Amino acid sequence: MISEQSDWIMRKFLGVSTHFVAAAVIALQSAWFAPVYAADTAPTVIRLAAPDNGLGGKEHFNGGVADVLVWRHLLEEEFKRDGINVEWHFFKAAGPAINEAFANKQIDFAFYGDLPAIIGQANGLQIKLLAATGRQGAAYLGVRSGVEVKSLQDLKGKTIAVFRGTIFHLSLVNALASVGMSERDLRIVNMDLAASTAALSTGRVDAVWGSSNLYELEDKGLAHVAFSTSDLGGVGAIQSVLVGSDAFVNSYPQITRRLLRVFLGGYDWMSEHSNRQIYLSEAARRSGFTQRQVDRMLGQVSFAETMKPDLDDSFIESLDKQVSLAKEMRLIRRSFSAVEWADQKTQQETKVLPRDDIVKAITQ
């Protein structure tokens, strides 16, 4: 970590001029990142990140266009002729781990939830909003055996596990607020998705507010899914985004547009109804979920609507609401305008580029 190296330098040269130390740190940082961000040259590597929602050590599964990019090696093929390597990094620890990777200059782009992206931007990560990747996604309430929950009000006083700082945390807060409740009405335990499902299966918590992996526990008879945000009329629905580091996007605008063109081509393919069963079948084969579980998660979802990449007024407005709520929850100290965060120019410039070749490459 650069911060650790900086601390070491300070200790090593204790007593030396702070100006000298600062110059040494800057020189060290410049040398460290030179292979990736050398001026006036193409990058040697593009590093992307996404949460990994798959089960049992299977291949990456995210439940969106990123899956198609990974499974079909679309970005690798796009940049192969330029000698640019493409690296994917998948994080079980989801958004907080991705923000840490951004802070440590280990990644250039990320597909992840809106809340961790908002937290990152508010805390100075310097990332640009390039596209929407998910809207009106579902969060799920898994309940341990022997506990009956039919409504949000039934959760009062119960021990609920949720991963703080993620889209599921914000989803829970929004859902509770819709019935006049707050986190104070529950006993909240902060756990990542893997730890929370383990705690639920052993009865250490009453319920988990999280992802569709809760269906696995239901199928094993270890818990049951009481309802999802879809059953609540969309209250507490989750959103996700594609962001890129300012350093990369500003240094390599053409490479960024090419990457975004491939992403938009992936969306074009997924939005065609004739391709949905192909995706659902491949998701079941690769993710570790059964076909029945995948169909319950995504079978009734309109990919054209929920994965629409446009940074349109409705999406920007919803992000502004999330920013306000995050500040109210004291997850961030300063608010910001989503429309100023969004890189509309890059998306508009990319949209006019042809991408039939991307759709064809996926279909083959």
Side-chain angles (χ1 to χ4, degrees):
M1 304 292 184
I2 293 300
S3 60
E4 294 173 345
Q5 292 171 327
S6 301
D7 290 341
W8 180 86
I9 290 171
M10 292 295 291
R11 292 194 300 270
K12 183 73 175 177
F13 295 95
L14 189 64
V16 179
S17 152
T18 56
H19 295 291
F20 177 83
V21 174
V25 172
I26 292 171
L28 175 61
Q29 291 174 326
S30 299
W32 185 273
F33 299 123
V36 176
Y37 296 123
D40 300 322
T41 63
T44 59
V45 62
I46 301 172
R47 304 162 301 176
L48 302 102
D52 190 353
N53 299 320
L55 298 174
K58 291 281 188 175
E59 295 181 57
H60 160 75
F61 174 67
N62 188 249
V65 176
D67 294 336
V68 177
L69 304 188
V70 174
W71 299 342
R72 294 291 191 269
H73 307 289
L74 296 178
L75 292 174
E76 289 85 345
E77 289 298 318
E78 171 70 18
F79 295 107
K80 181 169 62 176
R81 66 180 182 270
D82 304 287
I84 301 173
N85 294 322
V86 173
E87 296 177 358
W88 283 93
H89 303 273
F90 306 115
F91 293 84
K92 287 291 187 184
I98 290 175
N99 278 346
E100 184 176 352
F102 265 128
N104 292 322
K105 315 295 184 187
Q106 295 169 334
I107 57 174
D108 306 305
F109 297 92
F111 296 82
Y112 66 152
D114 62 352
L115 177 59
I118 286 168
I119 292 174
Q121 176 68 8
N123 289 339
L125 279 188
Q126 296 184 329
I127 51 179
K128 292 183 185 294
L129 175 62
L130 298 174
T133 60
R135 56 185 87 200
Q136 291 300 310
Y140 301 81
L141 178 72
V143 180
R144 69 175 173 85
S145 300
V147 174
E148 185 175 350
V149 174
K150 294 183 178 180
S151 69
L152 289 167
Q153 290 89 338
D154 292 335
L155 293 175
K156 285 186 177 180
K158 292 184 170 56
T159 302
I160 313 297
V162 67
F163 196 177
R164 290 189 184 276
T166 68
I167 50 177
F168 299 109
H169 183 198
L170 203 59
S171 167
L172 175 60
V173 171
N174 276 321
L176 292 172
S178 71
V179 293
M181 294 173 61
S182 71
E183 291 180 276
R184 291 188 294 273
D185 294 306
L186 317 176
R187 297 172 183 168
I188 298 291
V189 180
N190 181 28
M191 293 183 177
D192 66 27
L193 297 181
S196 63
T197 52
L200 183 62
S201 65
T202 56
R204 290 186 287 124
V205 296
D206 296 317
V208 170
W209 190 272
S211 75
S212 52
N213 66 343
L214 292 165
Y215 277 123
E216 185 189 26
L217 296 185
E218 181 173 87
D219 289 346
K220 292 179 179 179
L222 299 174
H224 66 278
V225 176
F227 50 78
S228 74
T229 52
S230 298
D231 300 315
L232 301 176
V235 174
I238 59 178
Q239 299 182 147
S240 55
V241 296
L242 166 61
V243 302
S245 73
D246 284 3
F248 191 103
V249 174
N250 293 337
S251 296
Y252 310 114
Q254 184 178 2
I255 296 296
T256 300
R257 286 193 294 271
R258 285 172 60 187
L259 183 148
L260 194 55
R261 184 187 80 91
V262 174
F263 166 73
L264 293 176
Y267 166 76
D268 291 342
W269 182 86
M270 286 199 69
S271 64
E272 288 291 333
H273 185 77
S274 59
N275 295 324
R276 66 180 293 107
Q277 192 54 53
I278 298 173
Y279 172 79
L280 294 174
S281 297
E282 192 157 358
R285 181 171 65 85
R286 293 177 180 267
S287 67
F289 289 104
T290 66
Q291 189 65 63
R292 179 169 176 264
Q293 289 167 344
V294 169
D295 290 343
R296 278 187 295 186
M297 287 183 255
L298 299 170
Q300 304 302 314
V301 172
S302 168
F303 294 164
E305 291 300 319
T306 61
M307 299 178 190
K308 186 167 69 172
D310 299 4
L311 297 174
D312 49 33
D313 290 344
S314 63
F315 192 77
I316 293 298
E317 181 181 346
S318 68
L319 286 178
D320 279 330
K321 291 179 180 178
Q322 301 289 64
V323 170
S324 297
L325 182 56
K327 190 171 187 297
E328 182 181 324
M329 295 166 62
R330 299 184 179 179
L331 296 173
I332 60 176
R333 292 184 178 180
R334 70 175 184 89
S335 60
F336 57 90
S337 167
V339 72
E340 294 177 1
W341 182 31
D343 188 351
Q344 297 276 14
K345 181 174 181 289
T346 295
Q347 185 175 113
Q348 293 305 317
E349 290 174 346
T350 305
K351 278 186 173 183
V352 302
L353 300 176
R355 46 187 190 265
D356 291 347
D357 59 313
I358 304 299
V359 176
K360 183 178 180 180
I362 300 171
T363 305
Q364 289 177 341

